[in-house]
Amino acid sequence: MPSDIFSQNSEHSAFWSEYHLCTLTTLRPDGSPHVVPVGVTLDADAGVARVITRKSSKKVANIQASRPGEAHAVVCQVDGGRWATLEGTADVLTDAAAVDNAVARYAERYGRTPAPDPERVVIEITIDRAMGQVSAARPKTGSAAA
């Protein structure tokens, strides 16, 4: 389901198409957060965010340790005062078509196609909540001494 935040302001979807590294937060079995840097792609029409990774990663293990439909995940990106967060339920997809689709979306956003990896899977987050501030002024480079 597309989130209301995207219908409120097209800048939110545009921000998710810019080149930014993001963070992915999953929950360990003990409930503590596991936060890692990742590349994220957004399919606003489908209401999902995708992360490509290896099936042996801790983030995949965290999702698979949850009961089906109960693995919560959050992706976030920041650029100066601009930021956006997407929260939802995560699933791990292993079929070749889903992986190929996610790799193509990654290549489009990040300008490079990752090397083939037979261990590659896709974390797909069905977005329940989106928030952010993307119309803030970008920070100036350099700093002035006071």
Side-chain angles (χ1 to χ4, degrees):
M1 79 173 194
S3 178
D4 289 343
I5 200 164
F6 301 116
S7 62
Q8 293 172 8
N9 188 334
S10 64
E11 290 177 328
H12 288 275
S13 290
F15 186 50
W16 282 100
S17 67
E18 297 173 10
Y19 187 105
H20 296 289
L21 291 180
C22 305
T23 58
L24 168 69
T25 303
T26 57
L27 297 177
R28 295 181 182 101
D30 69 2
S32 64
H34 175 72
V35 184
V36 294
V38 294
V40 175
T41 60
L42 171 67
D43 182 346
D45 292 334
V48 298
R50 294 180 182 92
V51 174
I52 56 175
T53 189
R54 293 180 59 89
K55 65 182 174 183
S56 60
S57 71
K58 180 63 177 164
K59 51 193 162 285
V60 167
N62 289 340
I63 292 165
Q64 292 176 330
S66 296
R67 288 190 278 192
E70 294 185 7
H72 297 287
V74 179
V75 290
C76 181
Q77 67 181 16
V78 63
D79 178 37
R82 301 182 315 148
W83 63 276
T85 298
L86 305 172
E87 301 177 12
T89 305
D91 290 303
V92 177
L93 307 180
T94 59
D95 64 279
V99 172
D100 290 347
N101 180 290
V103 167
R105 289 173 182 274
Y106 179 96
E108 183 177 333
R109 180 173 188 192
Y110 291 100
R112 70 172 193 83
T113 300
D117 184 349
E119 300 292 309
R120 184 168 288 128
V121 297
V122 180
I123 296 173
E124 186 172 87
I125 302 165
T126 302
I127 301 165
D128 298 326
R129 182 181 304 150
M131 62 192 112
Q133 174 61 43
V134 298
S135 58
R138 296 183 87 165
K140 295 179 182 174
T141 57
S143 63

